[in-house]
Amino acid sequence: MAAKRTGAARAKPRGKLEEPQPASPLREIMESQLDLWRRLNTKEGTDVGEATKEMAPLVAEHWAKIFDELSRSAAMMQTSENPLAIQEGLPKHLLANYNEMLKRVFLSKSFAARSGSSVRGLLEGVKAWNEAMDGTLKAMRIPSKADIDEIHEELYNLSKRVDYLVKSLENGGARGRRERRR
Amino acid sequence: MATNDSALSRWMNSLDVLVEKRYRQAAAGMKLLANPPAADVGTSECEVAYKKDKMRLLHYTGGPQKKAPVPVLLVYALINRPYILDLQQDRSVVQTLLGRGLDIYMIDWGKPTDGDRFLGLEDYVERYMDDCFDVIMEKSGQKSISVLGYCIGGYIASVYASLHPEKVRNIALMASPLDFGIEEGMLHLWTKAEYFNPELVVEAFGNAPSEFLNSGFTMLDPIGNTVIKYMGLAENIEDKEFVDMFFRMEKWLSDGIPVAGAFYIDLIRDGYQRNLFVKNQLRVNSRKASVDNLTMPMLAIVAEKDHIVPPSSTLGLLKVAPSKDKTTFSFPTGHIGLSVGSGSHKDLWPKVAKWFLDHSKTPSSKR
């Protein structure tokens, strides 16, 4: 596993991100994450591959920003009167940056399409379960959810009708009173 | 090397302070776990002026004895509970408006149950809201009253105003999704017809469950809503005012209610996906809800950092409405910050109260 990570770290440099950086655990995480994206991206024609194309630049940008901030903070800690304050601020910055990355991912059309499809699958599953339960209850001659919904709908229509009748009576009554005054 | 040594010694020196602070915070955290604050909410005095099914019309009785003649009806959204507008004494929209002499009513739509899945926009506008207007006009002796809609409540209020313009004296729309044609924000993207079918939610669950809605809202600010806010609590755990407010907010956030199925479909399909209202094509109970009828004074209250309802969505209606008296108050806060932020209560709400007072001066005869 270690050998594999080292191999990833030696991948051919490409773009600003992969300029030589001091070795660090974060660097290793970044490399393995990028390596994962690359490997997923080889599955051409699959959803994952397509998603990777859109998401990989966001992830790369996110890590680039984090490294910038780490370098800046390290330099500031050397001279600051209160280096701990800088250290304490760092996790907040990293989380805020991660938050922004996720927001950008969620705001992408490809995420909307994929999450839409997942939600649809989930909802179809719930529907199928409901139908199965209804079928079972019907077979046992027990009122099902569909039966109760039917009653609810009936009650709703009745209460709506009553409301409109009451309102039209009230309006008619008010009109009648006005006409009598004249 | 000397620089590194001194940096290290400075770091070591400040470590003591940090460790002490963390111990104090941990101790305060333990105390908080043992005795969490009561988080009382919605404490302003009120009476129920009208009730129908699960809806209650609240009439607030506090504030100065002599009030402005034209009442203001607060129309809350159908998501979560309305007490966000009356969260705590010093951060209460209700209190701020009452304190400046306005007569305040608020609609609490109640919590829909399975039997309410058939309630649609038409029911909320023509049955519930119209009844509330009639009750308030009767009680106040006014021919028309003012209305302030928050979030989806603003959508309901403006549709009502377009159908019954004679009853709406002034309308204020606070962080309300109205123009759904904008290409901004995650909700506008996720609810597009090619990605999302609201009918399927209702077929599966009856009403749109609060957990389903909340998961979407959480994703609008994923780390902010799940990690950063708790870091903020840890950092301020010794500040009683902060902790009390935090618990009140948490209570509100976790007090979600489902949205009635038919209304959910109406909102997503006719609003988010087709934008019928702003396009002047919305029909409610076979009547056209015409934006051309929005001739009354209009106020838009928008939050500049609103990631739920982008300001352009609220302002879009003002662009198409023919009213000659339009005002916009834009405030540098978020969707919820508008109603509970200390800055909002210091700088924004007094201005909103003044706007209502200024627009309530013309005497209104009895019905």
Side-chain angles (χ1 to χ4, degrees):
Chain A
M1 191 65 196
K4 200 168 188 180
R5 276 206 298 272
T6 315
R10 282 180 196 150
K12 194 181 167 189
R14 191 178 62 185
K16 190 187 167 189
L17 237 191
E18 297 183 12
E19 284 165 13
Q21 296 281 343
S24 72
L26 268 176
R27 174 81 184 170
E28 282 200 12
I29 295 169
M30 183 199 79
E31 286 295 351
S32 64
Q33 198 171 349
L34 282 175
D35 186 43
L36 174 70
W37 285 115
R38 279 190 211 108
R39 279 186 287 125
L40 288 173
N41 204 18
T42 58
K43 295 179 184 172
E44 281 178 17
T46 64
D47 272 3
V48 178
E50 284 302 310
T52 309
K53 277 184 202 165
E54 195 172 333
M55 300 307 161
L58 293 181
V59 177
E61 194 183 317
H62 161 69
W63 282 109
K65 277 185 188 167
I66 285 183
F67 274 96
D68 283 352
E69 185 61 26
L70 283 175
S71 316
R72 198 168 34 246
S73 299
M76 281 166 67
M77 282 175 76
Q78 296 285 319
T79 52
S80 168
E81 281 304 313
N82 188 2
L84 263 182
I86 297 166
Q87 186 181 321
E88 278 201 279
L90 204 53
K92 285 179 198 159
H93 179 88
L94 301 185
L95 285 170
N97 193 293
Y98 192 48
N99 202 26
E100 284 313 305
M101 185 197 78
L102 286 179
K103 280 196 212 172
R104 285 179 63 190
V105 169
F106 296 161
L107 201 50
S108 66
K109 283 185 179 169
S110 102
F111 177 83
R114 278 163 188 81
S115 68
S117 150
S118 304
V119 169
R120 196 161 46 246
L122 172 82
L123 296 174
E124 294 285 6
V126 175
K127 256 180 75 181
W129 172 260
N130 289 346
E131 280 162 16
M133 287 301 288
D134 274 8
T136 311
L137 290 170
K138 270 199 176 109
M140 294 162 74
R141 295 188 182 174
I142 295 172
S144 67
K145 192 174 179 300
D147 295 329
I148 295 167
D149 281 347
E150 241 173 68
I151 296 170
H152 280 146
E153 188 167 16
E154 199 67 29
L155 283 171
Y156 161 76
N157 287 329
L158 280 171
S159 103
K160 195 169 168 179
R161 180 126 187 84
V162 168
D163 264 12
Y164 281 113
L165 284 172
V166 168
K167 203 145 235 183
S168 57
L169 271 175
E170 279 176 2
N171 291 341
R175 199 162 44 242
R177 280 198 296 279
R178 275 199 298 276
E179 277 162 10
R180 275 199 295 280
R181 262 184 236 133
R182 276 182 212 147
Chain B
M1 195 64 195
T3 313
N4 282 343
D5 280 351
S6 61
L8 186 64
S9 72
R10 281 197 304 275
W11 185 83
M12 291 294 285
N13 289 340
S14 50
L15 194 60
D16 285 349
V17 180
L18 180 71
V19 169
E20 194 195 324
K21 185 177 158 190
R22 292 284 181 260
Y23 268 114
R24 276 204 326 269
Q25 286 172 339
M30 298 300 268
K31 271 189 202 164
L32 198 64
L33 280 175
N35 282 310
D40 295 328
V41 289
T43 53
S44 299
E45 269 180 46
C46 65
E47 58 186 27
V48 178
Y50 176 68
K51 191 173 183 311
K52 179 173 185 158
D53 302 333
K54 295 186 177 70
M55 184 214 71
R56 295 182 313 152
L57 175 65
L58 308 176
H59 185 205
Y60 289 90
T61 50
Q65 208 67 16
K66 189 171 163 41
K67 291 201 170 75
V70 182
V72 179
L73 171 63
L74 308 184
V75 183
Y76 183 67
L78 297 170
I79 294 161
N80 287 48
R81 301 282 192 167
Y83 58 73
I84 190 71
L85 293 173
D86 186 25
L87 197 68
Q88 66 181 39
Q89 203 69 8
D90 58 337
R91 294 187 189 198
S92 159
V93 171
V94 168
Q95 282 295 329
T96 307
L97 298 180
L98 271 179
R100 279 166 174 77
L102 287 160
D103 188 12
I104 300 297
Y105 289 80
M106 179 156 74
I107 298 179
D108 176 356
W109 299 109
K111 182 178 180 177
T113 52
D114 286 353
D116 298 314
R117 64 178 288 182
F118 303 100
L119 294 175
L121 178 66
E122 179 196 334
D123 300 289
Y124 284 102
V125 170
E126 291 291 32
R127 294 171 68 202
Y128 297 131
M129 199 156 156
D130 195 42
D131 280 7
C132 290
F133 264 73
D134 287 347
V135 168
I136 300 169
M137 290 190 305
E138 189 75 42
K139 275 186 80 145
S140 64
Q142 295 289 318
K143 283 203 294 188
S144 59
I145 61 166
S146 299
V147 62
L148 186 155
Y150 183 18
C151 191
I152 301 295
Y155 179 61
I156 300 172
S158 48
V159 170
Y160 181 84
S162 71
L163 291 163
H164 301 277
E166 73 288 353
K167 293 184 181 180
V168 182
R169 176 84 159 249
N170 308 294
I171 184 166
L173 303 162
M174 171 185 173
S176 300
L178 297 164
D179 183 356
F180 299 96
I182 59 162
E183 290 295 327
E184 271 182 74
M186 292 182 206
L187 293 182
H188 288 84
L189 176 69
W190 294 346
T191 51
K192 277 184 188 292
E194 64 252 51
Y195 308 134
F196 186 63
N197 177 6
E199 273 96 350
L200 207 47
V201 176
V202 175
E203 283 167 20
F205 296 115
N207 294 320
S210 62
E211 297 80 4
F212 178 78
L213 303 170
N214 279 342
S215 61
F217 292 131
T218 302
M219 286 169 75
L220 298 178
D221 188 14
I223 306 295
N225 286 330
T226 51
V227 181
I228 295 175
K229 74 171 178 184
Y230 295 109
M231 287 171 72
L233 173 66
E235 205 56 44
N236 296 284
I237 205 152
E238 294 166 285
D239 179 346
K240 188 178 180 315
E241 199 182 323
F242 181 95
V243 171
D244 285 353
M245 179 69 183
F246 183 90
F247 272 74
R248 286 192 177 99
M249 276 304 299
E250 284 301 292
K251 180 174 182 166
W252 180 76
L253 288 168
S254 59
D255 200 4
I257 57 171
V259 173
F263 180 86
Y264 185 70
I265 294 174
D266 287 343
L267 176 70
I268 303 290
R269 192 192 51 208
D270 295 346
Y272 277 92
Q273 294 180 347
R274 297 183 187 159
N275 198 21
L276 293 185
F277 185 45
V278 165
K279 285 183 184 165
N280 225 351
Q281 294 169 4
L282 182 70
R283 299 193 81 83
V284 177
N285 191 22
S286 66
R287 281 179 66 200
K288 186 179 173 187
S290 175
V291 291
D292 299 335
N293 290 334
L294 298 175
T295 53
M296 66 289 293
M298 297 178 84
L299 168 65
I301 307 163
V302 295
E304 288 160 22
K305 297 173 193 165
D306 195 334
H307 55 265
I308 298 174
V309 179
S312 56
S313 181
T314 308
L315 299 175
L317 180 68
L318 269 72
K319 277 186 195 156
V320 295
S323 167
K324 290 192 170 63
D325 183 346
K326 299 176 195 170
T327 309
T328 299
F329 293 151
S330 180
F331 203 69
T333 185
H335 190 75
I336 313 293
L338 272 184
S339 41
V340 297
S342 56
S344 308
H345 284 281
K346 186 168 165 270
D347 299 323
L348 173 69
W349 287 103
K351 275 163 69 181
V352 175
K354 187 175 181 308
W355 185 86
F356 276 119
L357 290 168
D358 290 348
H359 286 79
S360 306
K361 282 177 183 159
T362 325
S364 173
S365 57
K366 296 256 179 192
R367 295 176 82 197

